[in-house]
Short mmCIF file of all heavy atoms in Angstrom, two decimals:
data_model
loop_
_atom_site.label_atom_id
_atom_site.label_comp_id
_atom_site.label_asym_id
_atom_site.label_seq_id
_atom_site.Cartn_x
_atom_site.Cartn_y
_atom_site.Cartn_z
N ASP A 1 0.91 -1.22 -0.01
CA ASP A 1 -0.05 -0.08 -0.01
C ASP A 1 0.85 1.21 -0.04
O ASP A 1 1.23 1.78 1.03
CB ASP A 1 -0.91 -0.02 1.22
CG ASP A 1 -1.84 1.25 1.23
OD1 ASP A 1 -1.96 1.77 0.20
OD2 ASP A 1 -2.46 1.40 2.32
N PHE A 2 1.21 1.65 -1.24
CA PHE A 2 2.19 2.69 -1.25
C PHE A 2 1.50 4.08 -1.76
O PHE A 2 2.21 4.93 -2.27
CB PHE A 2 3.34 2.43 -2.23
CG PHE A 2 4.07 1.16 -1.88
CD1 PHE A 2 4.10 0.05 -2.72
CD2 PHE A 2 4.71 1.09 -0.61
CE1 PHE A 2 4.72 -1.13 -2.30
CE2 PHE A 2 5.42 -0.12 -0.28
CZ PHE A 2 5.42 -1.11 -1.13
N ASP A 3 0.17 4.13 -1.74
CA ASP A 3 -0.46 5.23 -2.32
C ASP A 3 -0.88 6.42 -1.40
O ASP A 3 -1.37 7.40 -1.77
CB ASP A 3 -1.72 4.73 -3.07
CG ASP A 3 -1.41 3.86 -4.26
OD1 ASP A 3 -0.29 4.04 -4.80
OD2 ASP A 3 -2.18 2.90 -4.54
N ASP A 4 -0.66 6.14 -0.08
CA ASP A 4 -1.10 7.25 0.84
C ASP A 4 0.03 8.36 0.77
O ASP A 4 1.12 8.18 1.13
CB ASP A 4 -1.01 6.66 2.28
CG ASP A 4 -1.63 7.58 3.33
OD1 ASP A 4 -1.50 8.78 3.15
OD2 ASP A 4 -2.11 7.10 4.32
N PRO A 5 -0.44 9.48 0.39
CA PRO A 5 0.50 10.65 0.14
C PRO A 5 1.10 11.14 1.47
O PRO A 5 2.32 11.48 1.54
CB PRO A 5 -0.41 11.84 -0.48
CG PRO A 5 -1.77 11.44 -0.16
CD PRO A 5 -1.76 9.90 -0.16
N GLY A 6 0.29 10.99 2.61
CA GLY A 6 0.93 11.48 3.90
C GLY A 6 2.03 10.53 4.33
O GLY A 6 3.12 10.99 4.83
N LEU A 7 1.83 9.19 4.29
CA LEU A 7 2.80 8.27 4.75
C LEU A 7 4.11 8.35 3.71
O LEU A 7 5.26 8.18 3.94
CB LEU A 7 2.35 6.86 4.72
CG LEU A 7 1.29 6.55 5.89
CD1 LEU A 7 0.77 5.00 5.70
CD2 LEU A 7 2.05 6.75 7.19
N LYS A 8 3.75 8.41 2.34
CA LYS A 8 4.79 8.63 1.43
C LYS A 8 5.72 9.75 1.61
O LYS A 8 6.98 9.68 1.62
CB LYS A 8 4.24 8.68 0.07
CG LYS A 8 5.22 8.44 -1.14
CD LYS A 8 4.52 8.47 -2.43
CE LYS A 8 5.57 8.20 -3.62
NZ LYS A 8 4.89 8.06 -4.92
N CYS A 9 5.14 10.91 2.02
CA CYS A 9 5.91 12.05 2.32
C CYS A 9 6.76 11.83 3.53
O CYS A 9 8.00 12.16 3.51
CB CYS A 9 4.93 13.30 2.54
SG CYS A 9 5.70 14.81 3.06
N LYS A 10 6.31 11.24 4.60
CA LYS A 10 7.09 10.92 5.79
C LYS A 10 8.21 10.17 5.46
O LYS A 10 9.41 10.33 5.94
CB LYS A 10 6.19 10.42 6.93
CG LYS A 10 6.91 10.02 8.16
CD LYS A 10 5.90 9.40 9.11
CE LYS A 10 6.63 8.90 10.39
NZ LYS A 10 5.56 8.40 11.27
N TYR A 11 7.95 9.00 4.90
CA TYR A 11 8.96 8.04 4.64
C TYR A 11 10.04 8.46 3.67
O TYR A 11 11.27 8.10 3.65
CB TYR A 11 8.40 6.68 4.34
CG TYR A 11 7.94 5.87 5.51
CD1 TYR A 11 6.57 5.94 5.74
CD2 TYR A 11 8.78 5.30 6.45
CE1 TYR A 11 6.01 5.33 6.89
CE2 TYR A 11 8.26 4.68 7.54
CZ TYR A 11 6.87 4.72 7.75
OH TYR A 11 6.38 4.06 8.98
N PHE A 12 9.58 9.13 2.63
CA PHE A 12 10.58 9.62 1.71
C PHE A 12 11.51 10.61 2.39
O PHE A 12 12.70 10.81 1.94
CB PHE A 12 9.91 10.28 0.46
CG PHE A 12 9.56 9.28 -0.64
CD1 PHE A 12 9.22 7.98 -0.34
CD2 PHE A 12 9.54 9.61 -1.87
CE1 PHE A 12 8.91 7.02 -1.21
CE2 PHE A 12 9.27 8.70 -2.94
CZ PHE A 12 8.94 7.45 -2.65
N ALA A 13 10.94 11.50 3.29
CA ALA A 13 11.87 12.36 4.00
C ALA A 13 12.87 11.64 4.83
O ALA A 13 14.03 12.01 4.93
CB ALA A 13 10.94 13.33 4.96
N LEU A 14 12.39 10.50 5.48
CA LEU A 14 13.35 9.65 6.24
C LEU A 14 14.37 8.98 5.29
O LEU A 14 15.52 8.88 5.60
CB LEU A 14 12.56 8.58 6.92
CG LEU A 14 11.83 9.05 8.19
CD1 LEU A 14 10.89 7.94 8.61
CD2 LEU A 14 12.81 9.39 9.28
N PHE A 15 13.90 8.62 4.04
CA PHE A 15 14.87 7.97 3.12
C PHE A 15 15.97 9.02 2.76
O PHE A 15 17.13 8.66 2.65
CB PHE A 15 14.04 7.37 1.88
CG PHE A 15 13.10 6.43 2.01
CD1 PHE A 15 12.18 6.14 1.23
CD2 PHE A 15 13.32 5.64 3.21
CE1 PHE A 15 11.21 5.18 1.43
CE2 PHE A 15 12.31 4.51 3.44
CZ PHE A 15 11.33 4.36 2.50
N GLY A 16 15.52 10.21 2.55
CA GLY A 16 16.46 11.36 2.16
C GLY A 16 17.47 11.49 3.32
O GLY A 16 18.68 11.70 3.08
N LEU A 17 17.13 11.58 4.63
CA LEU A 17 17.87 11.60 5.72
C LEU A 17 18.99 10.50 5.79
O LEU A 17 20.07 10.66 6.13
CB LEU A 17 17.17 11.85 7.02
CG LEU A 17 16.46 13.22 7.14
CD1 LEU A 17 15.48 13.11 8.35
CD2 LEU A 17 17.42 14.31 7.30
N GLY A 18 18.29 9.30 5.56
CA GLY A 18 19.27 8.15 5.61
C GLY A 18 20.35 8.22 4.57
O GLY A 18 21.48 7.81 4.98
N GLN A 19 20.03 8.68 3.41
CA GLN A 19 21.14 8.82 2.33
C GLN A 19 22.11 9.86 2.66
O GLN A 19 23.31 9.62 2.46
CB GLN A 19 20.41 9.13 0.92
CG GLN A 19 19.81 7.91 0.35
CD GLN A 19 19.40 8.15 -1.11
OE1 GLN A 19 19.37 9.36 -1.52
NE2 GLN A 19 19.07 7.11 -1.83
N VAL A 20 21.67 10.92 3.09
CA VAL A 20 22.52 11.95 3.45
C VAL A 20 23.49 11.69 4.67
O VAL A 20 24.76 12.09 4.64
CB VAL A 20 21.91 13.35 3.66
CG1 VAL A 20 21.29 13.43 5.16
CG2 VAL A 20 22.80 14.55 3.45
N PHE A 21 23.03 10.83 5.54
CA PHE A 21 23.85 10.50 6.69
C PHE A 21 24.71 9.23 6.36
O PHE A 21 25.76 9.15 7.00
CB PHE A 21 22.83 10.11 7.82
CG PHE A 21 22.41 11.12 8.80
CD1 PHE A 21 21.15 11.36 8.90
CD2 PHE A 21 23.32 12.08 9.26
CE1 PHE A 21 20.69 12.42 9.66
CE2 PHE A 21 22.82 13.17 10.12
CZ PHE A 21 21.55 13.26 10.21
N SER A 22 24.37 8.52 5.30
CA SER A 22 25.24 7.33 5.12
C SER A 22 26.15 7.51 3.91
O SER A 22 26.92 6.64 3.43
CB SER A 22 24.33 6.10 4.75
OG SER A 22 23.46 6.40 3.57
N SER A 23 26.30 8.71 3.43
CA SER A 23 27.24 8.97 2.19
C SER A 23 28.68 8.93 2.72
O SER A 23 29.00 9.49 3.78
CB SER A 23 26.97 10.40 1.58
OG SER A 23 25.63 10.28 1.09
N ALA A 24 29.53 8.47 1.86
CA ALA A 24 30.99 8.43 2.20
C ALA A 24 31.66 9.88 1.97
O ALA A 24 30.99 10.74 1.36
CB ALA A 24 31.69 7.43 1.29
N TYR A 25 32.82 10.03 2.37
CA TYR A 25 33.50 11.33 2.10
C TYR A 25 33.84 11.54 0.73
O TYR A 25 33.94 12.72 0.33
CB TYR A 25 34.85 11.43 3.11
CG TYR A 25 34.49 11.81 4.43
CD1 TYR A 25 33.97 10.89 5.38
CD2 TYR A 25 34.74 13.06 4.91
CE1 TYR A 25 33.63 11.29 6.74
CE2 TYR A 25 34.50 13.47 6.24
CZ TYR A 25 33.98 12.53 7.13
OH TYR A 25 33.62 12.91 8.43
N ASP A 26 34.33 10.56 0.02
CA ASP A 26 34.68 10.76 -1.49
C ASP A 26 33.50 10.76 -2.30
O ASP A 26 33.20 9.88 -2.95
CB ASP A 26 35.69 9.70 -1.86
CG ASP A 26 35.18 8.29 -1.60
OD1 ASP A 26 34.16 8.16 -0.78
OD2 ASP A 26 35.68 7.33 -2.14
N ILE A 27 32.89 11.97 -2.31
CA ILE A 27 31.64 12.10 -3.26
C ILE A 27 32.14 12.39 -4.63
O ILE A 27 32.88 13.30 -4.91
CB ILE A 27 30.78 13.33 -2.65
CG1 ILE A 27 30.43 13.05 -1.13
CG2 ILE A 27 29.48 13.38 -3.50
CD1 ILE A 27 29.64 11.95 -0.92
N THR A 28 31.65 11.55 -5.58
CA THR A 28 32.08 11.79 -6.92
C THR A 28 31.07 12.69 -7.63
O THR A 28 31.46 13.49 -8.48
CB THR A 28 32.07 10.40 -7.62
OG1 THR A 28 30.81 9.72 -7.50
CG2 THR A 28 33.10 9.47 -7.07
N ASN A 29 29.72 12.59 -7.42
CA ASN A 29 28.78 13.44 -8.01
C ASN A 29 28.43 14.59 -7.06
O ASN A 29 27.63 14.31 -6.19
CB ASN A 29 27.58 12.57 -8.41
CG ASN A 29 26.50 13.57 -9.10
OD1 ASN A 29 26.81 14.61 -9.58
ND2 ASN A 29 25.30 13.01 -9.19
N THR A 30 29.00 15.76 -7.27
CA THR A 30 28.69 16.89 -6.32
C THR A 30 27.58 17.69 -6.93
O THR A 30 27.50 18.76 -6.34
CB THR A 30 29.97 17.66 -6.11
OG1 THR A 30 30.51 18.19 -7.41
CG2 THR A 30 31.11 16.79 -5.39
N SER A 31 26.96 17.46 -7.90
CA SER A 31 26.00 18.37 -8.41
C SER A 31 24.63 18.33 -7.57
O SER A 31 24.10 19.29 -7.54
CB SER A 31 25.63 17.89 -9.90
OG SER A 31 25.10 16.56 -10.00
N VAL A 32 24.31 17.22 -6.97
CA VAL A 32 23.12 17.16 -6.18
C VAL A 32 23.55 16.45 -4.79
O VAL A 32 24.31 15.49 -4.82
CB VAL A 32 22.03 16.22 -6.85
CG1 VAL A 32 20.89 16.11 -5.97
CG2 VAL A 32 21.69 16.81 -8.19
N LEU A 33 23.04 17.01 -3.75
CA LEU A 33 23.30 16.46 -2.40
C LEU A 33 22.68 15.08 -2.23
O LEU A 33 21.52 14.95 -2.76
CB LEU A 33 22.78 17.39 -1.45
CG LEU A 33 23.38 17.27 -0.05
CD1 LEU A 33 24.89 17.68 0.09
CD2 LEU A 33 22.65 18.13 1.02
N PRO A 34 23.28 14.13 -1.72
CA PRO A 34 22.61 12.84 -1.48
C PRO A 34 21.35 12.93 -0.63
O PRO A 34 21.22 13.75 0.24
CB PRO A 34 23.72 12.09 -0.62
CG PRO A 34 24.92 12.67 -0.91
CD PRO A 34 24.70 14.20 -1.19
N GLY A 35 20.34 12.36 -1.09
CA GLY A 35 19.04 12.38 -0.47
C GLY A 35 18.05 13.48 -1.01
O GLY A 35 16.96 13.55 -0.69
N SER A 36 18.56 14.43 -1.94
CA SER A 36 17.81 15.44 -2.39
C SER A 36 16.64 15.04 -3.22
O SER A 36 15.57 15.78 -3.13
CB SER A 36 18.75 16.38 -3.17
OG SER A 36 19.75 17.01 -2.42
N ALA A 37 16.74 13.92 -3.89
CA ALA A 37 15.73 13.47 -4.79
C ALA A 37 14.49 13.11 -3.86
O ALA A 37 13.35 13.42 -4.17
CB ALA A 37 16.07 12.32 -5.68
N PHE A 38 14.70 12.47 -2.80
CA PHE A 38 13.74 12.04 -1.88
C PHE A 38 13.16 13.21 -1.20
O PHE A 38 11.94 13.28 -0.99
CB PHE A 38 14.22 11.00 -0.85
CG PHE A 38 14.44 9.64 -1.27
CD1 PHE A 38 15.60 8.88 -1.42
CD2 PHE A 38 13.26 8.88 -1.78
CE1 PHE A 38 15.75 7.66 -1.78
CE2 PHE A 38 13.32 7.58 -2.01
CZ PHE A 38 14.60 6.98 -2.21
N PHE A 39 14.00 14.21 -0.93
CA PHE A 39 13.54 15.29 -0.19
C PHE A 39 12.56 16.14 -1.14
O PHE A 39 11.45 16.63 -0.62
CB PHE A 39 14.63 16.28 0.18
CG PHE A 39 14.25 17.64 0.60
CD1 PHE A 39 13.86 17.96 1.83
CD2 PHE A 39 14.39 18.71 -0.36
CE1 PHE A 39 13.50 19.15 2.25
CE2 PHE A 39 13.94 20.01 0.06
CZ PHE A 39 13.55 20.26 1.40
N ALA A 40 12.94 16.22 -2.42
CA ALA A 40 12.11 17.07 -3.31
C ALA A 40 10.74 16.38 -3.58
O ALA A 40 9.67 17.07 -3.63
CB ALA A 40 12.89 17.24 -4.64
N ARG A 41 10.87 15.08 -3.63
CA ARG A 41 9.64 14.29 -3.88
C ARG A 41 8.68 14.40 -2.68
O ARG A 41 7.34 14.57 -2.80
CB ARG A 41 9.93 12.76 -4.16
CG ARG A 41 8.66 12.04 -4.52
CD ARG A 41 8.05 12.47 -5.78
NE ARG A 41 6.83 11.73 -6.12
CZ ARG A 41 5.79 12.15 -6.68
NH1 ARG A 41 5.75 13.49 -6.94
NH2 ARG A 41 4.73 11.42 -7.00
N ALA A 42 9.26 14.44 -1.50
CA ALA A 42 8.44 14.51 -0.27
C ALA A 42 7.88 15.96 -0.13
O ALA A 42 6.64 16.14 0.28
CB ALA A 42 9.30 14.33 1.02
N MET A 43 8.63 16.95 -0.53
CA MET A 43 8.09 18.29 -0.48
C MET A 43 6.88 18.47 -1.46
O MET A 43 5.94 19.17 -1.15
CB MET A 43 9.08 19.33 -0.93
CG MET A 43 10.15 19.50 0.12
SD MET A 43 9.48 20.54 1.48
CE MET A 43 9.30 22.11 0.67
N SER A 44 6.91 17.78 -2.64
CA SER A 44 5.83 17.81 -3.60
C SER A 44 4.64 17.16 -3.13
O SER A 44 3.46 17.49 -3.51
CB SER A 44 6.16 17.15 -4.88
OG SER A 44 6.48 15.87 -4.80
#
């Protein structure tokens, strides 16, 4: 059941935080911060 927008917003925000906290120091792609895609989707 992945269609509830309220729960999807909450967990996508958590996914974004999980990605930004688990990123290594040698970031190869510096154009977008880790977790930003989940954050943007949660904001929408």
Side-chain angles (χ1 to χ4, degrees):
D1 183 13
F2 303 121
D3 297 329
D4 187 332
L7 290 176
K8 190 174 183 180
C9 175
K10 173 181 176 179
Y11 283 103
F12 274 33
L14 284 168
F15 295 157
L17 288 170
Q19 282 192 345
V20 78
F21 278 125
S22 59
S23 299
Y25 275 76
D26 53 342
I27 304 299
T28 55
N29 180 18
T30 59
S31 59
V32 178
L33 198 72
S36 296
F38 280 118
F39 169 83
R41 185 61 179 146
M43 284 290 292
S44 67

